[in-house]
């Protein structure tokens, strides 16, 4: 009886082990079939309407119409070249079949030819010629006294920027501004909106400048501001 029971148990154990051995090769195959395919982060829908003109593609994807337009306007960085993995994964799907090549990405408009007039960062920029001073005075300890002479019949409004409020200088009169620290800017305007010619002339006293206002017959001769630099150069604008 014991021998018979042992034999049955051995046969049952052998059947179970045999079944496990047979089923083992099947497990990897099932897992392999259930693993999700690798999807490209650049789906084809990005390049179809209406998304082509409404959605910005992720970094690394070939630019669509909206991405190129925003990049050309300077609102987005220049689209980067797709990575080798993205290139291998053709736009809009999984890995291409053997023998099928993926067309190269379309370069953005901003990476093709430089716009006319663009200057390379490697080339030295041409400096604009510096304006010639209208006069030069010797400052007194970095300060200057300015005498304004209004020889017109109209009142002139003047202001020392950052120092005084707008003031009015009557026609055929003068005023002296003392102890102005250079650099200093003075603005002036005729109250009747006419044009002024401005003539700066160094005074015989050190650190003093005499500025004369006269009526201008030509609008191109009109001036509305004067600046005195730390080196004593006087510029009119």
């Amino acid at each position: 009886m014991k021998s018979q029971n042992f034999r049955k148990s051995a046969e049952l154990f052998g059947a179970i082990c045999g079944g496990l051995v047979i089923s083992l090769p099947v497990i990897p195959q099932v897992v392999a079939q259930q693993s999700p395919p690798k999807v490209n982060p650049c789906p084809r829908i990005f390049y179809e309407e209406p998304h082509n003109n409404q959605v910005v593609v992720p970094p690394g994807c070939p630019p669509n119409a909206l991405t190129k337009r925003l990049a050309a306007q300077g609102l987005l960085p220049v689209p980067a070249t797709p990575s080798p993995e993205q290139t291998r994964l053709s736009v809009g799907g999984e890995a291409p079949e053997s023998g099928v090549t993926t067309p190269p990405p379309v370069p953005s408009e901003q990476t093709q030819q430089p716009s006319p007039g663009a200057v390379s960062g490697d080339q030295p920029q041409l400096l604009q010629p510096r304006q010639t001073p209208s006069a030069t005075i010797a400052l007194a300890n970095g300060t200057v006294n300015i005498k304004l002479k209004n020889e017109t019949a109209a009142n002139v409004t003047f202001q020392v920027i950052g120092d005084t409020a707008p003031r009015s200088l009557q026609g055929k009169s003068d005023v002296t501004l003392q102890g102005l620290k250079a650099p200093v800017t003075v603005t002036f305007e005729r109250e009747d909106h006419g044009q002024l010619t401005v003539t700066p002339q160094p005074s015989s006293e050190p650190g003093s400048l005499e500025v004369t206002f006269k009526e201008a017959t030509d609008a191109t001769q009109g001036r509305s501001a004067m600046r005195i630099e730390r080196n004593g150069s006087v510029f009119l604008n």
Side-chain angles (χ1 to χ4, degrees):
M1 181 70 67
K2 291 181 179 181
S3 176
Q4 187 176 1
N5 290 339
F6 178 77
R7 185 168 55 256
K8 290 181 179 181
S9 298
E11 292 176 355
L12 179 61
F13 179 75
I16 293 174
C17 292
L20 289 175
V21 173
I22 295 174
S23 63
L24 284 176
V26 181
I27 295 175
Q29 183 177 0
V30 173
V31 173
Q33 291 177 353
Q34 293 179 352
S35 61
K38 194 166 187 179
V39 179
N40 189 1
C42 310
R44 184 175 289 106
I45 192 173
F46 286 165
Y47 307 90
E48 299 174 352
E49 298 300 339
H51 299 81
N52 185 42
N53 284 282
Q54 295 181 359
V55 178
V56 177
V57 300
C61 293
N64 61 5
L66 177 62
T67 306
K68 288 190 288 186
R69 186 164 61 250
L70 295 179
Q73 297 173 0
L75 302 178
L76 288 176
V78 177
T81 303
S83 64
E85 181 67 14
Q86 289 171 331
T87 302
R88 187 183 70 83
L89 284 177
S90 73
V91 172
E94 304 173 5
E97 298 178 359
S98 176
V100 179
T101 59
T102 303
V106 180
S108 67
E109 297 175 359
Q110 195 163 344
T111 59
Q112 292 178 356
Q113 296 294 333
S115 59
V119 179
S120 171
D122 298 332
Q123 299 177 353
Q125 296 184 355
L126 297 179
L127 297 178
Q128 296 295 331
R130 187 174 179 84
Q131 180 182 356
T132 303
S134 299
T136 303
I137 65 171
L139 301 181
N141 297 323
T143 63
V144 59
N145 299 327
I146 303 176
K147 183 177 182 179
L148 302 178
K149 295 178 60 178
N150 183 9
E151 295 188 357
T152 72
N155 293 346
V156 173
T157 299
F158 67 93
Q159 180 181 8
V160 181
I161 301 301
D163 196 341
T164 68
R167 299 177 182 177
S168 180
L169 177 61
Q170 295 182 352
K172 306 301 180 179
S173 64
D174 60 73
V175 66
T176 300
L177 309 173
Q178 296 182 338
L180 300 178
K181 187 174 180 59
V184 60
T185 300
V186 183
T187 62
F188 26 80
E189 180 184 11
R190 277 175 55 173
E191 293 181 359
D192 60 0
H193 304 293
Q195 299 293 326
L196 287 173
T197 60
V198 182
T199 305
Q201 182 68 36
S203 174
S204 57
E205 299 179 6
S208 295
L209 182 71
E210 187 174 286
V211 180
T212 304
F213 299 142
K214 294 183 179 181
E215 296 179 358
T217 57
D218 188 350
T220 60
Q221 297 176 346
R223 297 293 182 265
S224 60
M226 177 184 67
R227 181 172 177 82
I228 304 175
E229 300 289 354
R230 289 189 177 91
N231 61 1
S233 298
V234 182
F235 297 95
L236 296 176
N237 290 292

